[in-house]
Amino acid sequence: MVAKSDFTRIAENVWEVPRSYREDMRAPARIYADDELLATALADKSVEQLINSATLPGVVKYAIAMPDIHQGYGFPIGGVVATRLSDGVISPGGVGYDINCGVRLLASAALYEEVRPFLKELASALYHNCPSGVGVHGHLRLNDQELERVMTGGARWALERGMARAEDLARTEESGTIRGADPAAVSPRARERGRNQIGTLGAGNHFIEVDRVAAIYDGPAAERLGLLPDQVVVQIHCGSRGFGHQVCEDYVRDFQPVVRRYGIELPDRELVCAPFDSPEGQEYLSAMACAANFAFANRQVLTHHIRNSFEEVLAGQVPDFDLHQIYDIAHNMAKVEEHDVEGHRMRVCVHRKGATRAFGPGAPGLPEELRDLGQPVLIPGSMGTESYVLLGTAGSMQQTFASTCHGAGRLLSRSKSRKLVRGERLREELAGRGIVVRAGSMADFAEEAPLAYKDVSRVVEVVQAAGIGKKVARLEPVAVIKG
């Protein structure tokens, strides 16, 4: 069991378990946390999982955990691991089951006071138009040919079908399309699960949330992004649904003999992986890209439904309610990027699992209009709590392979939260605070109660103090849509 005494404090909010802690470690394990968040991380197996991930072949610099770290499948959620392309591995568990789970932020010109009289009607329209819940079907059912276009085109497919604007894609990570997607790498079962789920929210911690901009910390940056005080904005948090889950499940299963074939020794079979440049590793990378593109298309179709919902409810009531896109970011992805490693520029495979890419100012790959600012980073809270808009920094480029946290991070398991919280009472409490809720299952709603998560403001303060993210704005919820 890892203890606080096993760490060396190397900066105010940065702790490290040295490589000498275990013989099989190939790199140190580093965590960003204050004392309280470190104690929380030590309460489950997440730090042990972080140390395990530091044993992977080809791991460079150090395995990293963000302050929202919690236990996941093999790798911790909130983890970042970069591996050399020449002799490193790629791991499905290092990406996660919900491939390209992410957050999109839309902003209206309307102010909260203008929209407040119509908030209940707006929440009902969003709940009706954006199907949510476990295994729910969307308004579209795709044939094989159309589904393969989604796999290779991502958000571009939605643009071609009239459900996106060109400026949406310009403000989406990778312009909404990951290259290298090959539908041949995707199983029939994954195709079947995804065929009718485009444009759906799903369940679990996924949500659509109407927020008001409650605070601006960096006025010029906020203005450049299109954020104003008291403005109504909308967050979408979801991913690749059953399609991505099945892709991960297929490769976790198929890689078990692959590990033995390549003679890779692992401390935990959930770290299952393949050499990056092997046929198996490249096949997973192609399938992962298909799932990532599915997720980009999914969030884009939801955006289309959300715009229609605003039109249904606010047309003729509010002068300007049109929603423009602030940005769309991925949480669960493996990407080939160039970073500085031991004084050299090196191409590596960066696994971000429950972590956000956070390119600093000037980095290639950012929209030209925002390149001098850095990448927008969206940190959602948990229904009743605040959310944040940040920017990537030079510090994130230097310290964390251009990565930062992805949310508050889970504190209680779903079963514990369900025992402590009654969904109906939670809905009443939120209503008392002026937050409109539309949710299908009250039991599932209770699993996502704010007390089940860490203090997102504390997590963001650690990120800002460590220099791996910069606060721009704080959002507060006024309506929540859940499965």
Side-chain angles (χ1 to χ4, degrees), residues 407-463:
R410 212 163 176 101
L411 189 62
L412 300 178
S413 68
R414 288 188 165 87
S415 60
K416 284 183 180 175
S417 182
R418 197 183 280 223
K419 287 178 182 176
L420 293 172
V421 179
R422 288 193 59 191
E424 293 83 357
R425 182 167 297 174
L426 174 60
R427 184 167 60 181
E428 290 171 8
E429 289 175 4
L430 294 176
R433 293 167 49 195
I435 302 172
V436 178
V437 175
R438 295 289 182 270
S441 164
M442 282 297 103
D444 293 346
F445 184 60
E447 292 178 357
E448 305 302 321
L451 64 78
Y453 287 86
K454 299 173 188 175
D455 179 349
V456 67
S457 294
R458 191 179 195 103
V459 168
V460 168
E461 287 305 320
V462 168
V463 161

Side-chain angles (χ1 to χ4, degrees), residues 335-355:
K335 284 185 174 176
V336 175
E337 297 171 359
E338 281 194 5
H339 290 280
D340 291 329
V341 179
E342 297 169 353
H344 302 285
R345 200 70 177 162
M346 183 183 291
R347 294 181 77 226
V348 292
C349 177
V350 184
H351 299 70
R352 297 188 181 93
K353 180 180 181 180

Side-chain angles (χ1 to χ4, degrees), residues 105-149:
L105 181 64
L106 309 169
S108 166
L111 299 179
Y112 173 56
E113 287 303 319
E114 294 178 288
V115 174
R116 189 167 64 167
F118 313 101
L119 208 49
K120 290 181 180 177
E121 193 179 347
L122 181 59
S124 296
L126 290 168
Y127 186 70
H128 174 76
N129 292 333
C130 303
S132 59
V134 178
V136 70
H137 296 172
H139 303 299
L140 303 171
R141 180 173 174 83
L142 308 180
N143 60 31
D144 285 341
Q145 190 177 37
E146 197 74 353
L147 182 58
E148 291 194 357
R149 287 176 179 155

Side-chain angles (χ1 to χ4, degrees), residues 156-174:
R156 193 178 64 236
W157 167 83
L159 179 67
E160 292 165 355
R161 294 295 176 274
M163 293 180 282
R165 303 171 182 172
E167 54 267 34
D168 297 341
L169 274 58
R171 286 204 176 193
T172 300
E173 188 169 323
E174 303 293 349

Side-chain angles (χ1 to χ4, degrees), residues 51-73:
I51 291 170
N52 287 343
S53 70
T55 71
L56 288 172
V59 63
V60 297
K61 221 168 179 179
Y62 28 68
I64 303 167
M66 296 297 158
D68 52 341
I69 181 177
H70 57 105
Q71 188 175 326
Y73 180 87

